Amino acid sequence: MGEQPARRREKAAEGPSRPAASGSARTGGRTAVTPGETEASGATRPAKRPAKPESHLAMVRRARRINRELAEIYPYAHPELDFRNPFELLVATVLSAQTTDLRVNQTTPALFAAYPTPEDMAAADPEKLEELIRPTGFFRAKARSLAGLSASLRDDFGGEVPGRLADLVKLPGVGRKTANVVLGNAFGVPGITVDTHFGRLVRRWKWTEQEDPVKVEADVAAIFPKSEWTMLSHRVIFHGRRVCHARKPACGVCPIAPLCPAYGEGETDPEKAKKLLKYELGGYPGQRLSPPPDYPGRPAPPLGAG
């Protein structure tokens, strides 16, 4: 007798099956055989029919399951920029373009000691400001953005960082990604942060085919309730930095491999894959010099240490 419709829908929603972490595929308890190979019985295994395309509903259910799995894997997920107030987060996020959060965190202590407020930074000597942020790269363009946004905060917003997307994106050097980081982590306003890690993973997971960050944001926002947007961003970015790397994903130790359509693009051998893990998962320091209390890894060293 065939499966009941409800059961078929349930199986479809579970997402594409993938080999176990060891890399050996199993089918009904047996080792899978490629089409044309001979099984132990001597019979030729017929070629499998191509799998049916995943429905939109099945993709949504798989995406939400991935989010739940990531929440269990990274209960300590957080923004990996050090900051104490909205202005520091805004500045740090602008500086994070084309560099690592670690390098930004190693640079901002001296920067904020010299210019703790928008008024201070707006009045900064350009050459001194450039020198302080030189380690983050593109320091001349970033210095102009910091001076400009600080002047705008001073002149147009009473020295305070605004809590609205429409206001934030008017500031020099501030786009939707930066605005969503600030809104979600300094003001508690839900937002999706589409950085390079986020975009790479959601395309690998077939949540979207878009390359444009604004279109990626719209596609992913349609899958998840608004209340999940900020933490979803942290979880996906955490996974991209630690496991699902751009050039060599650690597929063999990825806990969401059974839900991933791109399984096998990276290293599937568990021992080899384990060596690819980064930050706290690989036993290395994290990116923040001052991580949250629940972070299980080690703080990053300050600039010039070690």
Side-chain angles (χ1 to χ4, degrees), residues 23-58:
S24 62
R26 291 281 176 182
T27 305
R30 299 173 300 170
T31 302
V33 185
T34 56
E37 285 185 341
T38 303
E39 294 183 288
S41 63
T44 300
R45 187 180 183 88
K48 291 183 179 180
R49 294 180 179 178
K52 291 183 179 180
E54 185 180 41
S55 70
H56 178 73
L57 176 60

PDB file of all heavy atoms in Angstrom, residues 23-58:
ATOM      1  N   GLY A  23      30.580  10.226   5.574  1.00  0.00           N
ATOM      2  CA  GLY A  23      30.683  10.277   4.126  1.00  0.00           C
ATOM      3  C   GLY A  23      30.106   9.037   3.463  1.00  0.00           C
ATOM      4  O   GLY A  23      29.984   8.975   2.246  1.00  0.00           O
ATOM      5  N   SER A  24      29.726   7.979   4.207  1.00  0.00           N
ATOM      6  CA  SER A  24      29.156   6.783   3.614  1.00  0.00           C
ATOM      7  C   SER A  24      27.655   6.933   3.523  1.00  0.00           C
ATOM      8  O   SER A  24      26.985   7.169   4.512  1.00  0.00           O
ATOM      9  CB  SER A  24      29.503   5.561   4.466  1.00  0.00           C
ATOM     10  OG  SER A  24      28.964   5.690   5.750  1.00  0.00           O
ATOM     11  N   ALA A  25      27.108   6.821   2.310  1.00  0.00           N
ATOM     12  CA  ALA A  25      25.671   6.984   2.114  1.00  0.00           C
ATOM     13  C   ALA A  25      24.964   5.704   2.487  1.00  0.00           C
ATOM     14  O   ALA A  25      25.443   4.605   2.254  1.00  0.00           O
ATOM     15  CB  ALA A  25      25.390   7.338   0.661  1.00  0.00           C
ATOM     16  N   ARG A  26      23.764   5.842   3.044  1.00  0.00           N
ATOM     17  CA  ARG A  26      22.965   4.695   3.436  1.00  0.00           C
ATOM     18  C   ARG A  26      21.590   4.799   2.823  1.00  0.00           C
ATOM     19  O   ARG A  26      21.008   5.869   2.758  1.00  0.00           O
ATOM     20  CB  ARG A  26      22.825   4.614   4.955  1.00  0.00           C
ATOM     21  CG  ARG A  26      24.127   4.272   5.649  1.00  0.00           C
ATOM     22  CD  ARG A  26      24.418   2.787   5.555  1.00  0.00           C
ATOM     23  NE  ARG A  26      25.725   2.475   6.139  1.00  0.00           N
ATOM     24  CZ  ARG A  26      26.228   1.252   6.152  1.00  0.00           C
ATOM     25  NH1 ARG A  26      25.568   0.257   5.620  1.00  0.00           N
ATOM     26  NH2 ARG A  26      27.405   1.043   6.689  1.00  0.00           N
ATOM     27  N   THR A  27      21.057   3.673   2.371  1.00  0.00           N
ATOM     28  CA  THR A  27      19.713   3.633   1.833  1.00  0.00           C
ATOM     29  C   THR A  27      19.011   2.447   2.453  1.00  0.00           C
ATOM     30  O   THR A  27      19.329   1.297   2.153  1.00  0.00           O
ATOM     31  CB  THR A  27      19.722   3.477   0.295  1.00  0.00           C
ATOM     32  OG1 THR A  27      20.514   4.519  -0.254  1.00  0.00           O
ATOM     33  CG2 THR A  27      18.311   3.539  -0.256  1.00  0.00           C
ATOM     34  N   GLY A  28      18.058   2.705   3.345  1.00  0.00           N
ATOM     35  CA  GLY A  28      17.337   1.625   3.996  1.00  0.00           C
ATOM     36  C   GLY A  28      18.248   0.705   4.771  1.00  0.00           C
ATOM     37  O   GLY A  28      18.034  -0.499   4.843  1.00  0.00           O
ATOM     38  N   GLY A  29      19.332   1.238   5.340  1.00  0.00           N
ATOM     39  CA  GLY A  29      20.235   0.427   6.138  1.00  0.00           C
ATOM     40  C   GLY A  29      21.344  -0.215   5.321  1.00  0.00           C
ATOM     41  O   GLY A  29      22.224  -0.853   5.864  1.00  0.00           O
ATOM     42  N   ARG A  30      21.303  -0.063   3.962  1.00  0.00           N
ATOM     43  CA  ARG A  30      22.346  -0.649   3.128  1.00  0.00           C
ATOM     44  C   ARG A  30      23.236   0.437   2.554  1.00  0.00           C
ATOM     45  O   ARG A  30      22.799   1.558   2.355  1.00  0.00           O
ATOM     46  CB  ARG A  30      21.713  -1.429   1.965  1.00  0.00           C
ATOM     47  CG  ARG A  30      20.824  -2.584   2.404  1.00  0.00           C
ATOM     48  CD  ARG A  30      20.116  -3.170   1.208  1.00  0.00           C
ATOM     49  NE  ARG A  30      19.289  -2.152   0.561  1.00  0.00           N
ATOM     50  CZ  ARG A  30      18.703  -2.342  -0.625  1.00  0.00           C
ATOM     51  NH1 ARG A  30      18.899  -3.446  -1.289  1.00  0.00           N
ATOM     52  NH2 ARG A  30      17.955  -1.381  -1.150  1.00  0.00           N
ATOM     53  N   THR A  31      24.455   0.082   2.218  1.00  0.00           N
ATOM     54  CA  THR A  31      25.321   1.049   1.552  1.00  0.00           C
ATOM     55  C   THR A  31      24.777   1.327   0.170  1.00  0.00           C
ATOM     56  O   THR A  31      24.485   0.411  -0.582  1.00  0.00           O
ATOM     57  CB  THR A  31      26.746   0.505   1.445  1.00  0.00           C
ATOM     58  OG1 THR A  31      27.226   0.216   2.759  1.00  0.00           O
ATOM     59  CG2 THR A  31      27.667   1.509   0.769  1.00  0.00           C
ATOM     60  N   ALA A  32      24.641   2.617  -0.171  1.00  0.00           N
ATOM     61  CA  ALA A  32      24.087   2.979  -1.460  1.00  0.00           C
ATOM     62  C   ALA A  32      25.016   2.561  -2.585  1.00  0.00           C
ATOM     63  O   ALA A  32      26.235   2.553  -2.446  1.00  0.00           O
ATOM     64  CB  ALA A  32      23.840   4.481  -1.536  1.00  0.00           C
ATOM     65  N   VAL A  33      24.447   2.208  -3.728  1.00  0.00           N
ATOM     66  CA  VAL A  33      25.199   1.775  -4.887  1.00  0.00           C
ATOM     67  C   VAL A  33      24.872   2.700  -6.038  1.00  0.00           C
ATOM     68  O   VAL A  33      23.718   3.071  -6.238  1.00  0.00           O
ATOM     69  CB  VAL A  33      24.831   0.318  -5.277  1.00  0.00           C
ATOM     70  CG1 VAL A  33      25.718  -0.169  -6.413  1.00  0.00           C
ATOM     71  CG2 VAL A  33      24.950  -0.595  -4.080  1.00  0.00           C
ATOM     72  N   THR A  34      25.869   3.069  -6.800  1.00  0.00           N
ATOM     73  CA  THR A  34      25.618   3.958  -7.927  1.00  0.00           C
ATOM     74  C   THR A  34      24.924   3.190  -9.032  1.00  0.00           C
ATOM     75  O   THR A  34      25.065   1.972  -9.141  1.00  0.00           O
ATOM     76  CB  THR A  34      26.928   4.550  -8.455  1.00  0.00           C
ATOM     77  OG1 THR A  34      27.813   3.481  -8.788  1.00  0.00           O
ATOM     78  CG2 THR A  34      27.579   5.430  -7.422  1.00  0.00           C
ATOM     79  N   PRO A  35      24.149   3.872  -9.907  1.00  0.00           N
ATOM     80  CA  PRO A  35      23.427   3.178 -10.980  1.00  0.00           C
ATOM     81  C   PRO A  35      24.361   2.322 -11.835  1.00  0.00           C
ATOM     82  O   PRO A  35      25.436   2.744 -12.250  1.00  0.00           O
ATOM     83  CB  PRO A  35      22.847   4.339 -11.802  1.00  0.00           C
ATOM     84  CG  PRO A  35      22.708   5.450 -10.824  1.00  0.00           C
ATOM     85  CD  PRO A  35      23.865   5.309  -9.899  1.00  0.00           C
ATOM     86  N   GLY A  36      23.920   1.090 -12.084  1.00  0.00           N
ATOM     87  CA  GLY A  36      24.711   0.200 -12.931  1.00  0.00           C
ATOM     88  C   GLY A  36      25.610  -0.725 -12.151  1.00  0.00           C
ATOM     89  O   GLY A  36      26.092  -1.727 -12.684  1.00  0.00           O
ATOM     90  N   GLU A  37      25.858  -0.434 -10.843  1.00  0.00           N
ATOM     91  CA  GLU A  37      26.701  -1.314 -10.043  1.00  0.00           C
ATOM     92  C   GLU A  37      25.930  -2.570  -9.670  1.00  0.00           C
ATOM     93  O   GLU A  37      24.699  -2.594  -9.668  1.00  0.00           O
ATOM     94  CB  GLU A  37      27.165  -0.600  -8.778  1.00  0.00           C
ATOM     95  CG  GLU A  37      28.249   0.421  -9.016  1.00  0.00           C
ATOM     96  CD  GLU A  37      28.759   0.999  -7.732  1.00  0.00           C
ATOM     97  OE1 GLU A  37      28.047   0.896  -6.712  1.00  0.00           O
ATOM     98  OE2 GLU A  37      29.862   1.553  -7.731  1.00  0.00           O
ATOM     99  N   THR A  38      26.649  -3.633  -9.304  1.00  0.00           N
ATOM    100  CA  THR A  38      26.022  -4.886  -8.937  1.00  0.00           C
ATOM    101  C   THR A  38      25.983  -5.011  -7.433  1.00  0.00           C
ATOM    102  O   THR A  38      26.985  -4.835  -6.758  1.00  0.00           O
ATOM    103  CB  THR A  38      26.797  -6.077  -9.523  1.00  0.00           C
ATOM    104  OG1 THR A  38      26.853  -5.912 -10.930  1.00  0.00           O
ATOM    105  CG2 THR A  38      26.111  -7.380  -9.176  1.00  0.00           C
ATOM    106  N   GLU A  39      24.791  -5.323  -6.875  1.00  0.00           N
ATOM    107  CA  GLU A  39      24.658  -5.529  -5.446  1.00  0.00           C
ATOM    108  C   GLU A  39      25.114  -6.938  -5.098  1.00  0.00           C
ATOM    109  O   GLU A  39      25.449  -7.749  -5.977  1.00  0.00           O
ATOM    110  CB  GLU A  39      23.205  -5.324  -5.030  1.00  0.00           C
ATOM    111  CG  GLU A  39      22.741  -3.880  -5.207  1.00  0.00           C
ATOM    112  CD  GLU A  39      21.321  -3.702  -4.723  1.00  0.00           C
ATOM    113  OE1 GLU A  39      20.404  -4.193  -5.389  1.00  0.00           O
ATOM    114  OE2 GLU A  39      21.156  -3.085  -3.658  1.00  0.00           O
ATOM    115  N   ALA A  40      25.093  -7.226  -3.795  1.00  0.00           N
ATOM    116  CA  ALA A  40      25.559  -8.534  -3.336  1.00  0.00           C
ATOM    117  C   ALA A  40      24.765  -9.670  -3.977  1.00  0.00           C
ATOM    118  O   ALA A  40      25.269 -10.762  -4.182  1.00  0.00           O
ATOM    119  CB  ALA A  40      25.467  -8.607  -1.814  1.00  0.00           C
ATOM    120  N   SER A  41      23.496  -9.454  -4.312  1.00  0.00           N
ATOM    121  CA  SER A  41      22.656 -10.491  -4.889  1.00  0.00           C
ATOM    122  C   SER A  41      23.029 -10.789  -6.329  1.00  0.00           C
ATOM    123  O   SER A  41      22.597 -11.763  -6.911  1.00  0.00           O
ATOM    124  CB  SER A  41      21.188 -10.046  -4.859  1.00  0.00           C
ATOM    125  OG  SER A  41      21.029  -8.883  -5.658  1.00  0.00           O
ATOM    126  N   GLY A  42      23.835  -9.907  -6.948  1.00  0.00           N
ATOM    127  CA  GLY A  42      24.222 -10.110  -8.322  1.00  0.00           C
ATOM    128  C   GLY A  42      23.337  -9.375  -9.299  1.00  0.00           C
ATOM    129  O   GLY A  42      23.628  -9.303 -10.486  1.00  0.00           O
ATOM    130  N   ALA A  43      22.243  -8.801  -8.803  1.00  0.00           N
ATOM    131  CA  ALA A  43      21.328  -8.088  -9.686  1.00  0.00           C
ATOM    132  C   ALA A  43      21.846  -6.693  -9.947  1.00  0.00           C
ATOM    133  O   ALA A  43      22.474  -6.085  -9.096  1.00  0.00           O
ATOM    134  CB  ALA A  43      19.939  -8.021  -9.044  1.00  0.00           C
ATOM    135  N   THR A  44      21.587  -6.189 -11.137  1.00  0.00           N
ATOM    136  CA  THR A  44      21.991  -4.833 -11.484  1.00  0.00           C
ATOM    137  C   THR A  44      21.002  -3.844 -10.918  1.00  0.00           C
ATOM    138  O   THR A  44      19.788  -3.989 -11.111  1.00  0.00           O
ATOM    139  CB  THR A  44      22.073  -4.665 -13.007  1.00  0.00           C
ATOM    140  OG1 THR A  44      23.021  -5.591 -13.513  1.00  0.00           O
ATOM    141  CG2 THR A  44      22.505  -3.248 -13.367  1.00  0.00           C
ATOM    142  N   ARG A  45      21.491  -2.858 -10.189  1.00  0.00           N
ATOM    143  CA  ARG A  45      20.621  -1.861  -9.566  1.00  0.00           C
ATOM    144  C   ARG A  45      20.176  -0.858 -10.630  1.00  0.00           C
ATOM    145  O   ARG A  45      21.016  -0.250 -11.292  1.00  0.00           O
ATOM    146  CB  ARG A  45      21.375  -1.124  -8.445  1.00  0.00           C
ATOM    147  CG  ARG A  45      20.507  -0.174  -7.628  1.00  0.00           C
ATOM    148  CD  ARG A  45      21.380   0.482  -6.562  1.00  0.00           C
ATOM    149  NE  ARG A  45      20.591   1.353  -5.715  1.00  0.00           N
ATOM    150  CZ  ARG A  45      19.953   0.938  -4.626  1.00  0.00           C
ATOM    151  NH1 ARG A  45      20.016  -0.318  -4.269  1.00  0.00           N
ATOM    152  NH2 ARG A  45      19.256   1.797  -3.905  1.00  0.00           N
ATOM    153  N   PRO A  46      18.899  -0.682 -10.826  1.00  0.00           N
ATOM    154  CA  PRO A  46      18.429   0.247 -11.858  1.00  0.00           C
ATOM    155  C   PRO A  46      18.766   1.686 -11.490  1.00  0.00           C
ATOM    156  O   PRO A  46      18.881   2.031 -10.318  1.00  0.00           O
ATOM    157  CB  PRO A  46      16.910   0.029 -11.875  1.00  0.00           C
ATOM    158  CG  PRO A  46      16.590  -0.473 -10.505  1.00  0.00           C
ATOM    159  CD  PRO A  46      17.779  -1.298 -10.094  1.00  0.00           C
ATOM    160  N   ALA A  47      18.931   2.522 -12.499  1.00  0.00           N
ATOM    161  CA  ALA A  47      19.209   3.930 -12.247  1.00  0.00           C
ATOM    162  C   ALA A  47      18.033   4.581 -11.550  1.00  0.00           C
ATOM    163  O   ALA A  47      16.875   4.306 -11.870  1.00  0.00           O
ATOM    164  CB  ALA A  47      19.497   4.643 -13.575  1.00  0.00           C
ATOM    165  N   LYS A  48      18.324   5.434 -10.560  1.00  0.00           N
ATOM    166  CA  LYS A  48      17.265   6.122  -9.828  1.00  0.00           C
ATOM    167  C   LYS A  48      16.673   7.230 -10.671  1.00  0.00           C
ATOM    168  O   LYS A  48      17.362   7.865 -11.480  1.00  0.00           O
ATOM    169  CB  LYS A  48      17.821   6.718  -8.523  1.00  0.00           C
ATOM    170  CG  LYS A  48      18.218   5.688  -7.498  1.00  0.00           C
ATOM    171  CD  LYS A  48      18.689   6.388  -6.228  1.00  0.00           C
ATOM    172  CE  LYS A  48      19.079   5.388  -5.157  1.00  0.00           C
ATOM    173  NZ  LYS A  48      19.543   6.062  -3.925  1.00  0.00           N
ATOM    174  N   ARG A  49      15.397   7.473 -10.481  1.00  0.00           N
ATOM    175  CA  ARG A  49      14.768   8.598 -11.142  1.00  0.00           C
ATOM    176  C   ARG A  49      15.237   9.896 -10.490  1.00  0.00           C
ATOM    177  O   ARG A  49      15.475   9.929  -9.288  1.00  0.00           O
ATOM    178  CB  ARG A  49      13.242   8.496 -11.031  1.00  0.00           C
ATOM    179  CG  ARG A  49      12.643   7.322 -11.783  1.00  0.00           C
ATOM    180  CD  ARG A  49      11.146   7.300 -11.612  1.00  0.00           C
ATOM    181  NE  ARG A  49      10.543   6.196 -12.335  1.00  0.00           N
ATOM    182  CZ  ARG A  49       9.237   5.938 -12.316  1.00  0.00           C
ATOM    183  NH1 ARG A  49       8.428   6.706 -11.607  1.00  0.00           N
ATOM    184  NH2 ARG A  49       8.767   4.928 -13.014  1.00  0.00           N
ATOM    185  N   PRO A  50      15.369  10.957 -11.261  1.00  0.00           N
ATOM    186  CA  PRO A  50      15.765  12.244 -10.660  1.00  0.00           C
ATOM    187  C   PRO A  50      14.766  12.670  -9.585  1.00  0.00           C
ATOM    188  O   PRO A  50      13.559  12.460  -9.723  1.00  0.00           O
ATOM    189  CB  PRO A  50      15.740  13.208 -11.856  1.00  0.00           C
ATOM    190  CG  PRO A  50      15.853  12.333 -13.063  1.00  0.00           C
ATOM    191  CD  PRO A  50      15.172  11.048 -12.706  1.00  0.00           C
ATOM    192  N   ALA A  51      15.289  13.231  -8.503  1.00  0.00           N
ATOM    193  CA  ALA A  51      14.417  13.687  -7.424  1.00  0.00           C
ATOM    194  C   ALA A  51      13.553  14.843  -7.914  1.00  0.00           C
ATOM    195  O   ALA A  51      13.965  15.649  -8.743  1.00  0.00           O
ATOM    196  CB  ALA A  51      15.255  14.130  -6.235  1.00  0.00           C
ATOM    197  N   LYS A  52      12.334  14.899  -7.423  1.00  0.00           N
ATOM    198  CA  LYS A  52      11.448  15.985  -7.788  1.00  0.00           C
ATOM    199  C   LYS A  52      11.960  17.299  -7.195  1.00  0.00           C
ATOM    200  O   LYS A  52      12.531  17.308  -6.109  1.00  0.00           O
ATOM    201  CB  LYS A  52      10.033  15.706  -7.263  1.00  0.00           C
ATOM    202  CG  LYS A  52       9.337  14.549  -7.961  1.00  0.00           C
ATOM    203  CD  LYS A  52       7.915  14.386  -7.433  1.00  0.00           C
ATOM    204  CE  LYS A  52       7.207  13.247  -8.152  1.00  0.00           C
ATOM    205  NZ  LYS A  52       5.810  13.076  -7.637  1.00  0.00           N
ATOM    206  N   PRO A  53      11.757  18.396  -7.908  1.00  0.00           N
ATOM    207  CA  PRO A  53      12.176  19.693  -7.362  1.00  0.00           C
ATOM    208  C   PRO A  53      11.488  19.956  -6.022  1.00  0.00           C
ATOM    209  O   PRO A  53      10.341  19.572  -5.812  1.00  0.00           O
ATOM    210  CB  PRO A  53      11.705  20.689  -8.430  1.00  0.00           C
ATOM    211  CG  PRO A  53      11.584  19.877  -9.680  1.00  0.00           C
ATOM    212  CD  PRO A  53      11.160  18.506  -9.243  1.00  0.00           C
ATOM    213  N   GLU A  54      12.215  20.596  -5.132  1.00  0.00           N
ATOM    214  CA  GLU A  54      11.676  20.905  -3.817  1.00  0.00           C
ATOM    215  C   GLU A  54      10.613  21.990  -3.942  1.00  0.00           C
ATOM    216  O   GLU A  54      10.824  23.018  -4.578  1.00  0.00           O
ATOM    217  CB  GLU A  54      12.797  21.374  -2.899  1.00  0.00           C
ATOM    218  CG  GLU A  54      12.361  21.620  -1.464  1.00  0.00           C
ATOM    219  CD  GLU A  54      13.521  22.072  -0.596  1.00  0.00           C
ATOM    220  OE1 GLU A  54      14.344  22.885  -1.065  1.00  0.00           O
ATOM    221  OE2 GLU A  54      13.612  21.606   0.555  1.00  0.00           O
ATOM    222  N   SER A  55       9.471  21.760  -3.334  1.00  0.00           N
ATOM    223  CA  SER A  55       8.421  22.765  -3.365  1.00  0.00           C
ATOM    224  C   SER A  55       8.796  23.945  -2.472  1.00  0.00           C
ATOM    225  O   SER A  55       9.663  23.830  -1.599  1.00  0.00           O
ATOM    226  CB  SER A  55       7.089  22.169  -2.889  1.00  0.00           C
ATOM    227  OG  SER A  55       7.144  21.904  -1.493  1.00  0.00           O
ATOM    228  N   HIS A  56       8.135  25.063  -2.693  1.00  0.00           N
ATOM    229  CA  HIS A  56       8.416  26.245  -1.867  1.00  0.00           C
ATOM    230  C   HIS A  56       8.087  25.959  -0.404  1.00  0.00           C
ATOM    231  O   HIS A  56       8.846  26.346   0.497  1.00  0.00           O
ATOM    232  CB  HIS A  56       7.602  27.438  -2.364  1.00  0.00           C
ATOM    233  CG  HIS A  56       7.808  28.677  -1.543  1.00  0.00           C
ATOM    234  ND1 HIS A  56       8.976  29.421  -1.590  1.00  0.00           N
ATOM    235  CD2 HIS A  56       7.013  29.289  -0.605  1.00  0.00           C
ATOM    236  CE1 HIS A  56       8.892  30.435  -0.751  1.00  0.00           C
ATOM    237  NE2 HIS A  56       7.725  30.384  -0.143  1.00  0.00           N
ATOM    238  N   LEU A  57       6.980  25.259  -0.160  1.00  0.00           N
ATOM    239  CA  LEU A  57       6.596  24.949   1.223  1.00  0.00           C
ATOM    240  C   LEU A  57       7.646  24.069   1.887  1.00  0.00           C
ATOM    241  O   LEU A  57       8.016  24.292   3.046  1.00  0.00           O
ATOM    242  CB  LEU A  57       5.235  24.257   1.249  1.00  0.00           C
ATOM    243  CG  LEU A  57       4.739  23.795   2.624  1.00  0.00           C
ATOM    244  CD1 LEU A  57       4.616  24.973   3.577  1.00  0.00           C
ATOM    245  CD2 LEU A  57       3.407  23.057   2.498  1.00  0.00           C
ATOM    246  N   ALA A  58       8.153  23.077   1.144  1.00  0.00           N
ATOM    247  CA  ALA A  58       9.181  22.198   1.710  1.00  0.00           C
ATOM    248  C   ALA A  58      10.452  22.977   2.006  1.00  0.00           C
ATOM    249  O   ALA A  58      11.119  22.747   3.015  1.00  0.00           O
ATOM    250  CB  ALA A  58       9.467  21.046   0.757  1.00  0.00           C
TER     251      ALA A  58
END
